Amino acid sequence: MGASTRRTRRRLGVAGVAAVMALAFTGSPQAATSVPGRTATAAELTDATLGYRADGRADGLVAGATAAPPYRKLWSRDFGTVVSAPVAVGDKVYAVVNADDGTEGGPRMMLVGLRVGTGKDLWPAVSLEKNETGAGVSYGGGLLYTQTSRGTIAAWNPTTGRRIWSVTLDSASMQYPPVWYGGLLYLQDGRGTVFALRADTGARVWKAPLSQYSWAPTVVDASGVWIGFDGVAWHHLDRRTGAELHRFRVPDVSGAYGNPVALGAGAAWMRSSDYGDESVTAYDRKTGATVRKLPADATPAFGPGRVYVAYRGKVRAYSTSTYKAAWTYTSSVGAATVRLVAGGYVYVEDADGRLVVLDRTTGKTVWSYRRYPAPPPMSPILAEDDWRGFVVPGIATAKGRLFVPGAEGTLTAFGKR
């Protein structure tokens, strides 16, 4: 917070500062009663990708998506080394990039905002605190939010790129961006504590202890805040107070490391790996009882009446009523994960280097795009590697367009034009 902002806060008080913030955000005195960060905007409620794994549920589903293959390339930008999972809302797309081109001796983490139609900058790229790695971006209530590995959390005006507030946690080891829900930001520091912050000011609302450390993302829905611990345990907390609603310990398994609890089909799903027995388990969200267990080496994604599960290169579309597979997609290199389910299509990150788009009903490939070179023969391949290049990976869609990070720090937009 700058000195001018602090002087303004002393003169006007909290209510006055809120009005000034709203005026700065919109440029319109008529909108000054709507404080950015407090309420979801119309643009983010449908056909928008708000962060890692699409939204706060980490379910991979983009509700109301209008993008549909076949696509044509609209533009491509080279940002340096790597591009994070993008955020796409309305006619704008945002990402955290490592702008180091390999000659600077270390990361240069930047927040970028682009016009979706042209790829041109909305504002000059801005540096994140101390170029810390483990950075990402999310969206909610009309604001952007970033985090860094050491726990610097900041809110940004998506129209101007100006920082609205910034707070730094006492100690942190973070990999995933905060999650916005109902005017609050939820995050966990990787050191055994979960926090809720006011999205408009960054003020702490509550903090709560966790039973252990975890790098996994925070997941939030109407029923509460969910934190998983590498597949071996999970917490369920009250959104408003941080009070523990449930705590469950999963015996005799090892974790899948860093991947989220995913909420879908009425259950909380977590991956685990026990002596080569890789699986995803659906747990009853109130009792913790095992509802279902399926072979999996990647986090599942969800769509209407379906759960999409990948295991050793085979992506299966299971009915959530019968759990029979409607179809199967097979990777040529034996590794794949589902990144998005949007507008009747399933977007598969095939470890052969391609993004493959499948028809949700039939499983047939309707479009593909090479993001990375094919891996060398016999090289070890992970189905899901979510710490690539200091940022978490992903793709995004909004308003008929698709945004795909690729090799060497590129971000490419596709659509119909």
Side-chain angles (χ1 to χ4, degrees), residues 154-180:
W156 307 82
N157 181 324
T159 302
T160 66
R162 292 181 179 179
R163 186 168 62 182
I164 294 173
W165 57 258
S166 177
V167 298
T168 300
L169 306 180
D170 292 336
S171 176
S173 178
M174 299 183 66
Q175 299 288 342
Y176 298 92
V179 172
W180 184 93

Side-chain angles (χ1 to χ4, degrees), residues 15-380:
V17 169
V20 170
M21 287 171 59
L23 179 58
F25 180 80
T26 63
S28 169
Q30 287 82 5
T33 56
S34 178
V35 179
R38 291 188 183 177
T39 306
T41 63
E44 67 194 79
L45 291 176
T46 184
D47 200 7
T49 308
L50 305 181
Y52 173 71
R53 296 200 180 279
D55 61 12
R57 294 168 55 87
D59 59 5
L61 177 64
V62 179
T66 54
Y71 295 111
R72 62 187 298 263
K73 185 185 292 187
L74 302 180
W75 50 261
S76 187
R77 292 280 303 271
D78 185 347
F79 288 104
T81 303
V82 70
V83 176
S84 75
V87 161
V89 180
D91 61 354
K92 301 175 179 64
V93 60
Y94 311 91
V96 167
V97 305
N98 180 2
D100 177 17
D101 61 4
T103 66
E104 301 178 39
R108 186 156 62 92
M109 310 307 291
M110 311 284 286
L111 175 65
V112 299
L114 310 173
R115 301 183 187 279
V116 300
T118 63
K120 293 182 178 180
D121 293 332
L122 289 165
W123 24 263
V126 292
S127 295
L128 300 189
E129 185 76 14
K130 298 178 182 178
N131 289 326
E132 294 171 3
T133 60
V137 61
S138 59
Y139 190 101
L143 297 179
L144 294 167
Y145 309 96
T146 59
Q147 103 292 339
T148 66
S149 59
R150 295 182 183 176
T152 297
I153 316 300
W156 307 82
N157 181 324
T159 302
T160 66
R162 292 181 179 179
R163 186 168 62 182
I164 294 173
W165 57 258
S166 177
V167 298
T168 300
L169 306 180
D170 292 336
S171 176
S173 178
M174 299 183 66
Q175 299 288 342
Y176 298 92
V179 172
W180 184 93
Y181 193 100
L184 298 183
L185 285 186
Y186 299 92
L187 57 138
Q188 59 105 1
D189 62 4
R191 303 289 189 184
T193 306
V194 60
F195 298 86
L197 309 178
R198 281 187 54 166
D200 56 348
T201 66
R204 182 184 298 173
V205 177
W206 53 259
K207 70 174 184 178
L210 301 171
S211 62
Q212 53 189 294
Y213 290 2
S214 170
W215 281 343
T218 305
V219 175
V220 185
D221 72 349
S223 71
V225 181
W226 304 80
I227 308 286
F229 301 100
D230 294 336
V232 300
W234 47 284
H235 286 234
H236 181 205
L237 309 177
D238 185 273
R239 287 190 296 107
R240 294 171 180 82
T241 66
E244 188 173 86
L245 302 175
H246 307 97
R247 179 191 297 192
F248 299 104
R249 179 80 182 175
V250 183
D252 303 324
V253 298
S254 300
Y257 303 109
N259 292 290
V261 175
L263 302 179
W269 299 68
M270 283 201 306
R271 289 175 50 213
S272 62
S273 177
D274 184 26
Y275 300 104
D277 178 20
E278 296 174 301
S279 61
V280 63
T281 304
Y283 298 97
D284 185 281
R285 291 158 65 175
K286 291 185 178 180
T287 67
T290 296
V291 177
R292 193 163 306 276
K293 183 177 180 179
L294 299 168
D297 55 11
T299 302
F302 298 84
R306 294 275 177 87
V307 55
Y308 302 93
V309 181
Y311 181 59
R312 298 185 180 178
K314 294 185 182 296
V315 177
R316 292 183 171 89
Y318 291 100
S319 163
T320 54
S321 57
T322 65
Y323 283 88
K324 293 181 179 180
W327 50 257
T328 300
Y329 167 84
T330 302
S331 163
S332 63
V333 298
T337 187
V338 179
R339 285 295 177 194
L340 284 183
V341 179
Y345 300 95
V346 180
Y347 292 76
V348 175
E349 181 180 309
D350 193 314
D352 70 0
R354 296 178 303 148
L355 175 66
V356 180
V357 183
L358 309 177
D359 182 278
R360 185 185 73 86
T361 302
T362 66
K364 292 183 178 180
T365 299
V366 294
W367 187 80
S368 67
Y369 171 72
R370 179 157 295 283
R371 302 174 64 196
Y372 304 97
M378 307 303 292
S379 61

